[in-house]
Amino acid sequence: MFTEDHIFLKIPGKNQKEVLRSLAKLAFQLGVVSSTDDLLQDYLDREQESTTGFGWGVSIPHTKSDDVLRASVLFGRTEQPIEWHSLDGDPVNTIISLLVPASESDEHLHLLAALSRKLSHPDFVQRLKTGSRKEIYQLISQTIGE
């Protein structure tokens, strides 16, 4: 579900849509989804419902879709702060994407709840923003119970 290969320390993109497109391409290259375009549309549809900008510069774009082949978590940092319409109004530079097959609603809720709890701790957020690939892997793996 989450490996060090799922960590991208420089996600390209100058706006939210470009960053989400980059994430969709990476998910496709990892074999997590069957279509880059479909995942991008899933991301955009979710953002229309309400922002995934959690606060403190973190976003959790997520989808539960038939396009997702296996439950996965992707982590990334953007090259620059990105306007995301976050709950606190701050731009985003740290992203945790949750991708879950449509048939796995329980897994989707488990992942979202576990991450949301940890993201309320400033020290956890700071470690995600500055940590090495290995540190990020350990933090997220422990959080999601892998």
Side-chain angles (χ1 to χ4, degrees):
M1 180 181 309
F2 183 66
T3 69
E4 285 191 46
D5 291 342
H6 293 176
I7 299 171
F8 307 96
L9 298 180
K10 289 188 177 181
I11 296 177
K14 294 184 182 344
N15 59 49
Q16 184 185 42
K17 187 173 183 178
E18 288 179 10
V19 169
L20 291 173
R21 183 182 311 282
S22 293
L23 277 173
K25 285 179 183 176
L26 294 167
F28 179 75
Q29 290 168 356
L30 289 167
V32 173
V33 296
S34 58
S35 166
T36 298
D37 291 338
D38 289 346
L39 178 56
L40 175 59
Q41 191 58 55
D42 290 340
Y43 278 145
L44 295 174
D45 290 346
R46 177 60 186 85
E47 291 296 331
Q48 288 296 316
E49 290 176 28
S50 66
T51 184
T52 60
F54 186 83
W56 293 338
V58 177
S59 179
I60 311 174
H62 56 280
T63 188
K64 193 173 44 170
S65 168
D66 290 329
D67 182 51
V68 178
L69 303 173
R70 66 178 193 275
S72 298
V73 176
L74 304 178
F75 174 88
R77 293 185 194 137
T78 60
E79 295 176 342
Q80 61 193 22
I82 304 293
E83 173 54 49
W84 211 276
H85 308 289
S86 297
L87 296 175
D88 63 1
D90 288 344
V92 163
N93 65 353
T94 304
I95 298 168
I96 304 170
S97 179
L98 309 177
L99 306 172
V100 179
S103 61
E104 297 182 27
S105 292
D106 289 347
E107 185 66 24
H108 184 253
L109 293 174
H110 161 75
L111 291 170
L112 202 52
L115 282 166
S116 295
R117 277 192 301 273
K118 289 297 273 188
L119 287 170
S120 66
H121 300 281
D123 59 318
F124 179 81
V125 173
Q126 188 60 33
R127 291 171 64 198
L128 289 177
K129 290 178 170 294
T130 60
S132 68
R133 181 179 301 276
K134 186 177 213 70
E135 291 169 317
I136 292 163
Y137 174 73
Q138 290 172 343
L139 284 172
I140 293 176
S141 293
Q142 290 169 355
T143 300
I144 63 173
E146 281 215 329

